[in-house]
Amino acid sequence: MENHLLFYILLALIPALETSDFFITPFRNIKKRSADDLIVNGIEIYSMKIDSKVTSRFAHNVITSRAVNRANVSKEVVFDVDLPKTAFITNFSMTIDGVTYPGTIKEKEVAKKQYEKAVSRGQTAGLVRASGRKTEKFTVSVNIAAASKVTFELTYEELLKRNFGKYEMLIKVKPKQLINHFEIQANIFEPQGISELEAQGSFITNDLSQVIKKSFSGKKGHVSFKPTIDQQRTCANCSTSLLDGDFTIKYDVKRDSPGDLQIVNGYFVHFFAPTNLPNFPKNVVFVIDISGSMSGIGIQQTREALLKILEDIREDDYFNFILFGSDVHIWKDTLVKATAENLKEAKDFVRAIDTRGMTNLHGGLMKGIEMLTTAFETNSVPKRSASIIILLTDGQPNEGVSDPQAIQANVKKAIQGRYPLYNLAFGYGIDYNFLEKMALENKGVARRIYPDSDSAIQMEGFYEEVANPMLTEVELNYPENAISDLTQNNFKHYYDGSEIVVAGRITDNDLNSLTADVKAQGAENDVTFSEQADVEETAKALQEQEYIFGDYIERLWAYLTIQQLLEKRTVAQGEEKENLTAEALELSLKYKFVTPLTSMVVTKPEDNEDKAAIADKPVEGTAKAAPGTQSYPTHSYLYSSPSIPSLYTSVDGDPHFIISVPQKEDAICFNINEETGAVLNLINDPVTGIRVNGQLIGDKRVSSDAKIQNTYFGKLGIENKQLELKLEVTPEKITLQKGRKKTVFTWLDTVTLRQEGLTVIINRKKNLVLSMGDGASFVIVLHQVWKKHPLHQDFLGLYTLDSHKLSERTHGLLGQ
């Protein structure tokens, strides 16, 4: 279940500055209201078009950008696109002066070998992939000669999910300069008929609102946005573009019946979204982490979210709170009904929640499961009710049962498939893969909550998605002798405003019609639905060529199948995992999807030699660090990268730098190659008095196949002159000096130290959290390797949270 169901594009086709290593777009020294208005650093982007065709919720999107080098020397052009995390890239090409350089999709290991071979020739640079909350970035650059033209074309596909009763397509528009021909075209075809369609933009002025054209009739809907150059200007005489923000399209379909069956070219899809059903009363157990690492913004936003959720709980719901630090604390001995009196008492309890101790995640979860189980066994909750467990945590289990595999096994055994487990991962100091696997094993999902000013809204938004269960134990059945390769067809809950989608392949070539039978438990009684589709009638949709792209149902089936195989692969082991991997890889290659198992190899001309680059599908929660290290949210630029929150910078690994660009959901990415022993100035803020330095260490020896020695941070120092604070951290010890008092800790210690304007939390053998009043917070992560490893040694990673609280005068490798 995605937090936002969207169709999300960030567009930036930008000339790179010759005077900087970073990715910056200048808007200075440009003549007003002339042809020069369209030229930045010698490059004119004369056309940018987003062409989207949505057929039966399946979106096929083509982004085309055209540029010309108006300078009399060669220039670099950068094509930058943000895609939805749920999307798969299917094609990319660039055409330079009539010659096309296509991307080819290959198995990841094959692409990796090609990449490494090119690296050995000194010819290759990887595509930098950085992820925002909702997006993944695709970036490619190319040098073009004077007067040359280049056309970039990227295609991707995704299945739009229904959330809160609507399908939402969110296009983030950011061309960063005036464009002669800028256009968004969205054509929607829904065989059920379109019931509503709206379009708006966060950057739309009164004048621009007239430029948005939208219409729908019957099965077709159309949205276009085509501003002139003058309409793009931030002011009458300005050369900058006001096209900077979200362009949103929302729609829904007519629902004359609970569902809709469609059949095209031997494949079928079944959309099931009944309306006007009574909601189940629900039983909710909130299992909340109150360990020391949740102090500050974490617990503050959690309290705020829970208070808002209590406002929305219905009077026939039952609920309770389980808090876990070192110990487990419960609000009430049993689940209680949401009466006015109980809700008032609950709000008082929530306002008083504070942090303490370590992270006994296992104890908290097991207590929550036990409480739900007891409630049903003692009939203290309605027999017909929907139960869910919502876990919120920000750290690694380090008290009680702390082994992730043991926790997963115990939780699965205790739940026994009776209710879904939803895991919310707050921030980055947590093993996201562990939470995701545990949720999927128990018919739930995992979701990352980004540590930012809107964390409470993120938590509330997730709760709203699961707040209104209408059906439980939903099973969709089809004639066994007529279909095969069915996607998931049983679901624990159906929530109001969502939609269940099942697809499959038809094996009976003589089939004239297909029948679907749906069985489920309703709030008042068991319910059944039956639907039928005529093969010839649904095939008529192919006649609508203007709105239809190819065998869309077959591609929808492949997309859905791959997504579900990858989910199953997350929890599988051994031979089962190998078989799921092979099946997902085969489909990814057949339908040309860039998935976590495949890569797109992009070949481009560079100084008369081919230069290959690799585009990969990032995976939430994965990390690339030295072999044998603990996982943490490090960022890999060759093969995958996890999500980056909007206000988050880091240096980790060999050392890879991520610098977020505030307000832009974007990031600058770069590496530093220095000798071991070098001291790097990472942050220096003369206003707040904060300074951060790091000293490099290397591998124990240079491996035989390495061109240069890998380097990591072996020592980090943080100083705050205003607080008279000095902190020095190595993989062996932690030295804290406040004023004249010096204290030495080891990584075997568990410490929570609070003084005026200062909080230091040491999570044993995991990480150190340093918060300095209203200033920026830092997390230092300990990466440990096997002590007898022939190459690698322990090293540190630095993560800067709330970096917007540093002053504008901040400099240093991260600070600047």
Side-chain angles (χ1 to χ4, degrees), residues 431-449:
D431 184 349
Y432 185 88
N433 292 335
F434 156 60
L435 288 186
E436 181 181 41
K437 184 173 183 179
M438 187 163 59
L440 291 173
E441 282 184 328
N442 295 285
K443 301 183 180 181
V445 296
R447 178 79 51 78
R448 194 183 294 283
I449 302 297

Side-chain angles (χ1 to χ4, degrees), residues 475-660:
E475 187 175 328
L476 300 93
N477 297 304
Y478 311 88
E480 291 185 6
N481 58 351
I483 59 102
S484 67
D485 301 320
L486 194 66
T487 61
Q488 180 182 344
N489 67 325
N490 55 79
F491 302 84
K492 189 65 183 176
H493 289 165
Y494 164 73
Y495 296 103
D496 188 19
S498 66
E499 183 173 66
I500 289 173
V501 183
V502 180
R505 189 163 62 90
I506 295 174
T507 55
D508 184 354
N509 295 327
D510 298 323
L511 189 71
N512 294 318
S513 63
L514 180 67
T515 301
D517 295 313
V518 183
K519 299 178 181 179
Q521 294 178 8
E524 298 172 352
N525 50 265
D526 292 350
V527 294
T528 59
F529 306 92
S530 184
E531 308 195 70
Q532 190 172 33
D534 184 271
V535 174
E536 291 186 4
E537 284 186 11
T538 56
K540 290 179 182 178
L542 286 175
Q543 298 173 6
E544 310 285 349
Q545 291 298 326
E546 181 185 355
Y547 286 71
I548 298 297
F549 57 94
D551 296 332
Y552 67 95
I553 290 186
E554 181 178 352
R555 295 192 66 80
L556 185 159
W557 165 82
Y559 170 96
L560 200 58
T561 300
I562 293 170
Q563 292 274 30
Q564 293 176 2
L565 287 171
L566 293 173
E567 281 191 0
K568 292 177 182 177
R569 179 176 174 265
T570 300
V571 300
Q573 296 179 348
E575 185 177 352
E576 181 188 6
K577 185 168 186 174
E578 292 178 4
N579 293 336
L580 291 169
T581 301
E583 189 177 351
L585 174 61
E586 181 182 1
L587 287 174
S588 299
L589 293 172
K590 178 180 179 180
Y591 291 96
K592 300 189 185 325
F593 286 135
V594 177
T595 72
L597 303 177
T598 56
S599 298
M600 176 175 284
V601 180
V602 180
T603 305
K604 56 184 179 178
E606 199 80 17
D607 300 327
N608 298 319
E609 292 187 46
D610 284 348
K611 190 171 185 178
I614 303 295
D616 278 341
K617 177 75 174 173
V619 179
E620 183 76 50
T622 58
K624 180 177 181 287
T629 65
Q630 302 175 37
S631 64
Y632 196 78
T634 57
H635 298 264
S636 166
Y637 299 94
L638 293 183
Y639 305 116
S640 67
S641 62
S643 302
I644 301 169
S646 59
L647 296 173
Y648 169 70
T649 61
S650 70
V651 56
D652 209 339
D654 174 29
H656 299 305
F657 290 75
I658 291 282
I659 299 180
S660 89

Side-chain angles (χ1 to χ4, degrees), residues 78 278 291 467 536 669 671-672:
V78 179
S291 62
E536 291 186 4
C669 316
N671 292 348
I672 291 291

Side-chain angles (χ1 to χ4, degrees), residues 83-84 252 378 479 527 624 634 726 729 733:
L83 311 171
D252 200 15
T378 58
V527 294
K624 180 177 181 287
T634 57
K726 288 185 179 180
V729 182
K733 65 179 181 178

